[in-house]
Amino acid sequence: MYTAKPRTNGYGYKGILHYPETSTHSDLVKGLRAARNLHLRVAGESGLTTADELLYPEAFAYFQDIVSYLAIGARSVEDQQHRFVSSGVDCPVGMKNPTNGNPDTLFYSIFAAQHGHKFIYRDREVKSSGNPLAHAIIRGYENIMGEYVPNYQYEQLLKIGERYRKQKLKNPFIICDVNHANSGKDYSREPMIIYDVLESRRRSEEIRMIVRGVMIESFIEAGRQEISGTVYGKSVTDGCLGWNETEELLHYIAEHV
């Protein structure tokens, strides 16, 4: 669940952490409570622990007892503090490739997160021991021409596995983000990309071992609407698959892994 949403230019809906009651009035104290209560409600009703993006490292202390997976966004993956904090948390952390697709940036981030550091966190000097479960999330990228370039294909997955071996990193895991630049920001293509990833896992034992999951943009109603929209359960950020399509897709995945 993304309770805080990064914005490329700083404007737009920033998630329940910023706007717990309306889309126009920001209240971060109420937002922290609302985001925590949302995580607790999901855990209580589903029996599943939750995941979120580590957008604000200092806010993680409010969720660390209930969140079991963290993602570092494409715009945060180069940030030193995100890398340091990732090295000290006790859950898996997925590092997204940056928006320009540079694999060096991605693997420098994984390397940093898998090793220990001494740094300042919440006004304290702290020491981390490294997070061996830091891994790659591939989400495609934009080239210098502004074109979307996917990186979930068979050959790309093998290259990422090779890079893991070259740098001798632990636990060479990959999560495939099937939206963003991988889908050209067309949420309706998410199922087709998953079919492709599952076929790659079927064809290659190496890919089957390293591709450990997919990240799907999903909500109640399909598509997206502007912040002024009135359709309950429809995204006001990125376009999403609807509930019925997601359920069908999850059943397909379960049958083919």
Side-chain angles (χ1 to χ4, degrees):
M1 301 188 307
Y2 274 49
T3 56
K5 170 70 176 175
R7 309 301 309 197
T8 302
N9 62 5
Y11 289 92
Y13 180 69
K14 299 182 181 71
I16 191 175
L17 193 147
H18 281 264
Y19 304 112
E21 295 177 352
T22 72
S23 61
T24 56
H25 177 65
S26 179
D27 189 324
L28 289 170
V29 174
K30 286 184 178 180
L32 284 169
R33 293 174 181 153
R36 180 175 173 82
N37 287 337
L38 182 60
H39 281 289
L40 288 171
R41 179 180 173 185
V42 170
E45 293 185 12
S46 70
L48 300 172
T49 53
T50 55
D52 205 343
E53 178 174 358
L54 186 65
L55 184 58
Y56 307 121
E58 293 77 10
F60 178 63
Y62 296 100
F63 308 103
Q64 63 184 2
D65 59 325
I66 51 177
V67 174
S68 61
Y69 182 91
L70 293 171
I72 305 297
R75 296 164 187 81
S76 303
V77 74
E78 294 186 72
D79 179 66
Q80 190 86 313
Q81 189 73 350
H82 281 82
R83 294 176 174 185
F84 284 169
V85 173
S86 297
S87 74
V89 300
D90 58 356
C91 66
V93 178
M95 326 291 285
K96 287 197 175 186
N97 66 258
T99 54
N100 65 9
N102 188 336
D104 289 337
T105 300
L106 171 61
F107 281 94
Y108 290 152
S109 184
I110 297 172
F111 182 92
Q114 287 197 1
H115 289 77
H117 303 278
K118 184 179 288 187
F119 58 101
I120 296 173
Y121 179 68
R122 294 172 65 90
D123 299 325
R124 298 288 189 274
E125 181 182 298
V126 299
K127 185 177 181 180
S128 65
S129 58
N131 186 346
L133 294 177
H135 59 275
I137 302 177
I138 54 174
R139 44 90 76 197
Y141 60 95
E142 294 182 42
N143 63 21
I144 60 174
M145 303 298 292
E147 301 165 328
Y148 295 124
V149 182
N151 59 3
Y152 64 85
Q153 303 97 326
Y154 185 89
E155 294 78 9
Q156 298 281 358
L157 296 173
L158 290 176
K159 286 181 180 179
I160 295 173
E162 182 180 348
R163 185 66 180 265
Y164 265 115
R165 289 191 298 274
K166 182 178 180 181
Q167 295 199 203
K168 299 179 180 179
L169 295 169
K170 300 175 183 177
N171 300 307
F173 300 157
I174 300 172
I175 301 293
C176 294
D177 181 338
V178 298
N179 205 349
H180 296 100
N182 269 334
S183 68
K185 295 192 176 180
D186 179 358
Y187 71 92
S188 67
R189 298 188 65 245
E190 290 186 298
M192 292 182 290
I193 296 170
I194 288 177
Y195 302 154
D196 194 304
V197 171
L198 289 172
E199 175 61 17
S200 294
R201 291 179 87 251
R202 187 191 67 81
R203 291 171 54 197
S204 167
E205 178 65 16
E206 178 181 350
I207 292 177
R208 190 183 72 82
M209 292 300 296
I210 63 176
V211 174
R212 296 301 182 98
V214 292
M215 182 177 286
I216 305 168
E217 294 246 32
S218 167
F219 203 27
I220 300 171
E221 300 293 337
R224 67 170 303 278
Q225 61 186 340
E226 295 302 321
I227 192 69
S228 58
T230 58
V231 179
Y232 177 80
K234 180 177 280 192
S235 172
V236 294
T237 55
D238 296 335
C240 295
L241 290 181
W243 186 276
N244 293 335
E245 300 97 326
T246 303
E247 182 178 19
E248 181 180 342
L249 187 56
L250 290 175
H251 281 294
Y252 182 90
I253 294 170
E255 294 167 1
H256 290 83
V257 294

